[in-house]
Amino acid sequence: MVRIIMTCRNDSIAEIMQTVCPYHPGCLSPEQSWSLFRHYAFGGRDPKEQPRLADMGKQIVRKCSGLPLAVKTIGSLLRYTADEDSWMDVIQSDIWEVDENINEILPALRLSYSRMPAHLKPCFVYCSMFPKDYEFDKDELVRLWMAQGYIQTSRGTRRLEDIGNEYFIDLQRRSFFDSHWSNFKMHDMIHDLAKSIAGNECWAIVDKKLPGVPDEVRHLFTNDAEEFVKSLHSYNFSTLRSLLIWHPSSGFPTVISEIIKNLPLLQTLQFCWERKDEIPDLLDNLKHLCYLRITSNKIEKLSKSICLLYHLQILVLDCENLAELPNGLGNLTNLRNLHITSKKIDKLPKSIYLLYHLQTLVLDGWNLAELPDSLGNLTNLRYLRITSDNIRKVPESVCLLYHLQTLVLDGWNLAELPDSLGNLTNLRYFELHTYCIKRLPGTVCQLRNLQMLVIEGCTRLQEFPSGIGSLTSLHHLQIANRQILCLPAGIGKLTNLRSFLGCYKVQGGIGGVLKGLVNLQTLIISGLRNVVNIEDARDAGLKHKHKLKELFLYWNAIDCKNDPHHDKLLHLEAFSEENKDVPMDEKREEAMLEYLQPHANLQILSIQGYGGSKFPEWVEDPFWVEDPFSFASLKEITVRNCEKIRSLALYIHDSLGNLDAPISKSMLKRRKDCCPMLDICISRSASN
């Protein structure tokens, strides 16, 4: 049976949709409100350590009247403010006394806005231009702020993009943005707040609704181009600064000229073009334009007038049939972000090397055959992403981009990386997708500031460079190529590694590899029978890995190549020094499992192919040992193909099915009689 729960804030909508009586959740209790406020305002700190703030916090909670969003927003506002006067200002604010008959939550939200730093206010209000439930990309929103001049910078070396990213994070911390998968949204109430502040300055044409006084609109979003075309003839939009048109209309190609003629102050323009015809050669009339995004699946050629937009900072061309770029592209000397998506462009214009201020270059050109050597002149580049199945070699000149922080190379036939890759000493993120690469340049090990290394699809890659232990800043290492690589020596030196994913063979011992990797969350160890030295299991230190949630212990080697989740976990396969099968040794395997006791935070445990005749006490009865392995967090236990186990006295905590007694030995013996290999899986029921 499929059940659908619909939430809304309007009783009339609930009455239309209802199949049962609507449920009206009440406000939070004082205790619930305080718990929520404490979480956001104090973080992990104990309020008892700051009794004055705790008392004032409880007064603030009472003013929020049990409304969760108000509690969350005010709590987020005060999280980074330990000044008692600031907390008292919130309590004594006149905004609480404002008569809000329509929406009682707005006073709390207005208070949060009023205490927002001045540089964040226009960025927040600008978001009211988008319709409710609109999902936006963080980087795209920052670029829109840049185009409007909202991002303040001093004469220092800090980039606008980095400052804008800080603005966004600050607004998110204050609970004005919520994560939604890989994008972000504004809560309806937060949107209402932004709209109440913006008035008619920011507007979205939804359901053909225009503001009462269109002349006041400065920033306009519309997914109804036809309605906007009609309004152009009726209203004066000459002061418009932003125009984002998401869908084309039949009459739009003829009216683009009208837009350009009548909107001379535009700083941001986005539109769709659904004709093969060239865009009218009038774009150079938009002297103030800083942001231009064109989406089309038909246009093949751009107007040359685009090269006369001297103030342009961001240019996004999502035009899959665009066959060439104008030669004058190098005239756009203020360009900071260039994004090109096309199936037909096979080369870049020679003048691209003149784009000295370029910070971000994205080339999603499936037909792009080569990169010009002049690419090395773009020395201010911080982000470079190249996607093309026709590129076979990355030019050495790329290694001259000394300020590059992110490099993404995606090409099925890419076979050669430059030997001087180690010159990119500021590189933080390196991602490689290719089938043909057989080796990584040894200079990769010189990237001392590298924090993330992702390699996918490189099925011909057999091993890492031997010096990978030098990448001491590495936080994330992921190899997803459906091949089991030999784990290089020195991997244990990467003590800052928080995420380590992929399938690897380990010769000798696993302890030296795992000892320093304290931040692992999922771990598979197979081939445990090949670990001859049981002290190696002790050295792995699983008992101290408090972040470990899932542990799979396989005594036989298993094939991870066909595992669909191979790129989302760490799989270590142990094999003997002589690369020969090691016979089963009952006592050795019992001692080894004793040493492989995990931390109490474990949620999923699987033991397969174990050759011992009994389990250690931490598995059978966790309450009999001095340092008990608690099942409080455990959700699932799997015991499979353990041939010598005749019975299992497994105590389960009441959080796992409300059982606090051993599973019947006689029951397990009967299962053993019916099935020669004990196969048991116990998991917490859905109701629990």
Side-chain angles (χ1 to χ4, degrees):
M1 179 184 294
V2 177
R3 297 181 179 179
I4 299 175
I5 299 176
M6 191 196 76
T7 61
C8 61
R9 292 188 288 122
N10 192 314
D11 282 339
S12 61
I13 295 175
E15 290 171 2
I16 294 171
M17 299 294 294
Q18 76 178 36
T19 56
V20 296
C21 293
Y23 173 74
H24 295 84
C27 295
L28 298 179
S29 68
E31 293 76 16
Q32 292 170 329
S33 296
W34 170 242
S35 177
L36 183 63
F37 179 85
R38 185 178 58 198
H39 170 76
Y40 282 97
F42 291 94
R45 306 189 309 273
D46 186 353
K48 294 179 181 179
E49 296 176 359
Q50 298 170 294
R52 286 279 300 159
L53 293 185
D55 290 341
M56 288 188 281
K58 291 176 181 179
Q59 295 180 53
I60 293 170
V61 164
R62 286 195 290 272
K63 287 180 173 286
C64 290
S65 305
L67 298 170
L69 184 61
V71 174
K72 175 185 174 184
T73 305
I74 297 296
S76 299
L77 165 69
L78 295 173
R79 182 167 191 159
Y80 302 99
T81 304
D83 177 37
E84 293 183 8
D85 290 339
S86 298
W87 286 53
M88 185 57 68
D89 288 344
V90 170
I91 296 172
Q92 297 176 347
S93 173
D94 293 337
I95 292 179
W96 295 108
E97 310 304 324
V98 174
D99 182 16
E100 293 282 354
N101 294 321
I102 298 177
N103 193 334
E104 59 182 339
I105 199 173
L106 276 180
L109 301 185
R110 283 186 184 276
L111 179 61
S112 188
Y113 171 80
S114 70
R115 299 184 63 81
M116 184 187 295
H119 62 270
L120 294 181
K121 290 183 176 180
C123 298
F124 169 67
V125 172
Y126 187 81
C127 298
S128 67
M129 170 179 62
F130 303 108
K132 286 185 176 180
D133 290 325
Y134 178 81
E135 295 181 22
F136 49 85
D137 174 79
K138 179 187 70 172
D139 294 334
E140 184 65 17
L141 184 59
V142 168
R143 287 191 284 268
L144 291 170
W145 290 342
M146 286 170 53
Q148 296 302 315
Y150 292 156
I151 299 177
Q152 303 172 9
T153 179
S154 61
R155 294 183 179 180
T157 57
R158 299 198 62 205
R159 301 166 61 235
L160 290 172
E161 291 84 353
D162 293 337
I163 298 172
N165 186 61
E166 289 181 3
Y167 285 13
F168 187 95
I169 292 173
D170 200 349
L171 286 168
Q172 186 185 12
R173 284 174 176 168
R174 295 168 185 270
S175 299
F176 288 106
F177 296 144
D178 292 323
S179 299
H180 187 76
W181 299 102
S182 59
N183 291 325
F184 296 87
K185 295 174 69 173
M186 293 177 73
H187 189 284
D188 282 0
M189 294 289 191
I190 298 293
H191 189 279
D192 288 344
L193 171 66
K195 195 73 191 72
S196 70
I197 296 166
N200 288 336
E201 184 173 325
C202 301
W203 203 268
I205 298 181
V206 180
D207 299 328
K208 299 185 178 182
K209 293 181 180 178
L210 281 167
V213 188
D215 294 357
E216 296 179 2
V217 177
R218 298 293 182 271
H219 310 289
L220 181 65
F221 173 101
T222 177
N223 53 17
D224 189 343
E226 292 185 11
E227 190 64 27
F228 177 70
V229 168
K230 294 176 185 176
S231 64
L232 266 179
H233 301 290
S234 305
Y235 301 104
N236 176 18
F237 285 105
S238 61
T239 57
L240 208 61
R241 301 297 197 277
S242 303
L243 175 59
L244 306 182
I245 302 176
W246 273 97
H247 298 295
S249 71
S250 56
F252 188 71
T254 58
V255 83
I256 187 69
S257 299
E258 294 297 318
I259 292 176
I260 295 172
K261 290 178 182 177
N262 295 312
L263 306 177
L265 300 180
L266 268 185
Q267 294 170 256
T268 297
L269 175 61
Q270 172 180 303
F271 64 89
C272 303
W273 188 263
E274 295 303 318
R275 293 177 58 158
K276 287 187 177 181
D277 301 359
E278 194 174 307
I279 297 170
D281 203 15
L282 296 169
L283 285 172
D284 58 314
N285 287 344
L286 301 176
K287 304 294 185 183
H288 302 280
L289 202 63
C290 296
Y291 176 107
L292 176 61
R293 179 170 186 167
I294 303 173
T295 303
S296 174
N297 56 14
K298 294 183 178 180
I299 192 172
E300 297 179 352
K301 189 176 181 181
L302 287 177
S303 164
K304 293 181 180 179
S305 64
I306 202 171
C307 301
L308 300 176
L309 299 172
Y310 299 119
H311 290 98
L312 201 63
Q313 296 182 31
I314 298 107
L315 176 60
V316 181
L317 301 173
D318 189 1
C319 308
E320 61 180 38
N321 286 307
L322 187 65
E324 63 176 314
L325 295 170
N327 288 326
L329 197 66
N331 293 335
L332 304 178
T333 54
N334 285 303
L335 204 63
R336 300 177 63 90
N337 292 265
L338 177 59
H339 300 242
I340 301 171
T341 302
S342 167
K343 293 189 297 185
K344 294 187 175 181
I345 292 178
D346 60 358
K347 62 180 180 180
L348 299 175
K350 294 180 180 179
S351 64
I352 195 169
Y353 76 93
L354 295 172
L355 303 178
Y356 299 119
H357 292 102
L358 204 62
Q359 306 278 320
T360 298
L361 177 58
V362 176
L363 302 173
D364 288 338
W366 305 333
N367 199 41
L368 195 64
E370 62 178 353
L371 298 171
D373 286 333
S374 61
L375 206 62
N377 291 335
L378 305 178
T379 53
N380 285 306
L381 209 60
R382 299 311 203 271
Y383 183 104
L384 175 61
R385 189 179 84 205
I386 301 170
T387 303
S388 174
D389 287 339
N390 286 340
I391 291 180
R392 298 182 179 276
K393 180 180 179 181
V394 176
E396 286 284 341
S397 61
V398 167
C399 301
L400 299 175
L401 305 175
Y402 300 120
H403 291 103
L404 199 64
Q405 296 179 354
T406 299
L407 176 61
V408 180
L409 301 174
D410 187 350
W412 185 255
N413 293 306
L414 181 61
E416 186 176 349
L417 296 177
D419 288 330
S420 303
L421 203 63
N423 291 343
L424 302 178
T425 53
N426 286 300
L427 202 64
R428 304 288 194 276
Y429 182 100
F430 181 31
E431 184 173 338
L432 178 64
H433 302 254
T434 180
Y435 171 75
C436 295
I437 286 282
K438 295 181 180 180
R439 70 173 187 89
L440 296 177
T443 57
V444 165
C445 301
Q446 298 174 14
L447 302 174
R448 297 290 177 11
N449 290 306
L450 194 67
Q451 297 178 4
M452 299 186 71
L453 176 60
V454 178
I455 300 177
E456 294 191 3
C458 303
T459 55
R460 298 187 181 183
L461 185 67
Q462 296 299 316
E463 62 181 0
F464 282 113
S466 58
I468 195 168
S470 301
L471 302 179
T472 53
S473 297
L474 207 61
H475 292 167
H476 176 91
L477 175 59
Q478 177 177 351
I479 312 294
N481 59 358
R482 296 193 179 276
Q483 294 290 329
I484 301 181
L485 299 177
C486 290
L487 200 66
I491 200 76
K493 296 178 182 178
L494 305 181
T495 55
N496 287 316
L497 212 56
R498 300 171 187 169
S499 177
F500 184 22
L501 310 176
C503 302
Y504 309 92
K505 285 186 177 181
V506 182
Q507 187 173 26
I510 57 172
V513 174
L514 291 172
K515 186 174 183 179
L517 305 179
V518 297
N519 295 304
L520 298 177
Q521 296 183 358
T522 300
L523 175 62
I524 293 178
I525 308 177
S526 70
L528 279 167
R529 188 155 293 130
N530 293 324
V531 179
V532 178
N533 184 359
I534 61 172
E535 293 296 325
D536 193 50
R538 187 205 298 266
D539 292 341
L542 300 189
K543 197 174 183 179
H544 306 293
K545 301 188 190 308
H546 65 282
K547 294 184 179 180
L548 192 64
K549 304 300 181 188
E550 301 179 20
L551 177 62
F552 302 83
L553 301 174
Y554 301 148
W555 261 254
N556 300 310
I558 63 171
D559 184 7
C560 75
K561 295 179 183 178
N562 298 316
D563 186 345
H565 305 294
H566 73 285
D567 59 337
K568 297 180 175 63
L569 46 81
L570 173 61
H571 177 171
L572 299 180
E573 178 185 324
F575 66 100
S576 63
E577 298 284 354
E578 297 80 13
N579 204 21
K580 296 179 180 179
D581 291 336
V582 177
M584 182 184 298
D585 184 324
E586 180 179 320
K587 296 301 181 184
R588 177 167 52 82
E589 295 191 19
E590 289 175 357
M592 185 182 303
L593 186 56
E594 177 72 55
Y595 288 150
L596 290 173
Q597 176 181 343
H599 191 276
N601 290 338
L602 197 74
Q603 296 179 1
I604 296 176
L605 172 66
S606 178
I607 301 173
Q608 297 190 29
Y610 172 60
S613 60
K614 64 178 182 179
F615 282 117
E617 291 181 339
W618 69 263
V619 177
E620 286 213 329
D621 188 355
F623 303 105
W624 284 358
V625 289
E626 293 181 2
D627 185 15
F629 171 88
S630 170
F631 279 86
S633 299
L634 203 63
K635 297 178 180 178
E636 181 179 314
I637 305 173
T638 300
V639 179
R640 183 167 294 152
N641 298 337
C642 301
E643 299 180 9
K644 295 187 177 182
I645 296 292
R646 297 291 176 180
S647 62
L648 178 63
L650 182 63
Y651 285 72
I652 308 296
H653 192 272
D654 58 1
S655 65
L656 194 68
N658 295 318
L659 295 176
D660 198 14
I663 296 174
S664 167
K665 293 185 179 182
S666 60
M667 179 188 75
L668 295 181
K669 286 179 180 177
R670 287 197 297 272
R671 290 192 57 153
K672 179 66 179 178
D673 294 336
C674 299
C675 179
M677 293 185 182
L678 185 64
D679 187 341
I680 242 182
C681 179
I682 306 170
S683 61
R684 183 184 300 175
S685 64
S687 61
N688 291 333

